[in-house]
Amino acid sequence: MPTEHAPVPEFFGDIISSYTRSDAIRDGVLVPLSPELLADAGLVFPVCVTDTVWNRYIDPVELSRLPGQSVEGRLWDLLWMLRVAIKTMKGGGDRIRYRVLFQMSPEDPPEPVDLISVCGPGDIGEPVITIMLPGED
């Protein structure tokens, strides 16, 4: 026996407030990565990183003290390791946990950083990727 479904606004009521991916980018909560860099890394969906990932690992305050380190190089490491994780992923799903080594001080060896990549819908339902630290979602 078929069932009838009420339109979403009738069922839940009017939307009181929404916070879109575009809002998060405008507010600096998400940092979009360049389409050119994504294409070079073999990624076809738009990618953002959280401001925590950006400020702590991609462009930390101490970056100028780290020999041989640059924002571009750190982004490349982040995206290349994501691509490797995608290629070696077993099964389906919208989340991938992976690890990247980041040099955090000139005296210490690179530090392993656990990251989560989530593929989900953007503002108009298009596939987008967000890279974050565990616990940020």
Side-chain angles (χ1 to χ4, degrees):
M1 163 155 82
T3 59
E4 292 184 33
H5 298 285
V8 173
E10 282 183 29
F11 186 76
F12 289 108
D14 292 334
I15 295 173
I16 296 170
S17 176
S18 69
Y19 190 70
T20 66
R21 185 175 179 89
S22 297
D23 293 335
I25 292 169
R26 185 188 65 245
D27 293 345
V29 174
L30 292 177
V31 179
L33 304 185
S34 91
E36 296 80 19
L37 180 62
L38 296 174
D40 287 348
L43 298 169
V44 296
F45 298 149
V47 176
C48 285
V49 298
T50 63
D51 61 335
T52 306
V53 170
W54 183 268
N55 292 316
R56 197 177 292 173
Y57 298 107
I58 303 302
D59 192 12
V61 174
E62 304 83 16
L63 186 61
S64 63
R65 293 185 35 235
L66 301 173
Q69 297 289 306
S70 67
V71 168
E72 295 78 14
R74 291 165 88 88
L75 280 172
W76 182 257
D77 293 346
L78 177 94
L79 295 174
W80 184 255
M81 292 308 294
L82 173 59
R83 178 140 189 233
V84 168
I86 291 169
K87 291 243 183 224
T88 60
M89 182 177 157
K90 291 181 172 72
D94 63 349
R95 292 172 183 265
I96 298 175
R97 293 183 75 96
Y98 69 109
R99 184 172 280 177
V100 179
L101 295 175
F102 287 109
Q103 186 74 41
M104 299 307 295
S105 79
E107 301 83 27
D108 297 324
E111 171 183 319
V113 176
D114 291 320
L115 296 164
I116 298 172
S117 169
V118 177
C119 185
D123 293 347
I124 56 172
E126 77 283 15
V128 295
I129 296 172
T130 304
I131 299 171
M132 63 191 82
L133 295 171
E136 282 197 292
D137 62 340

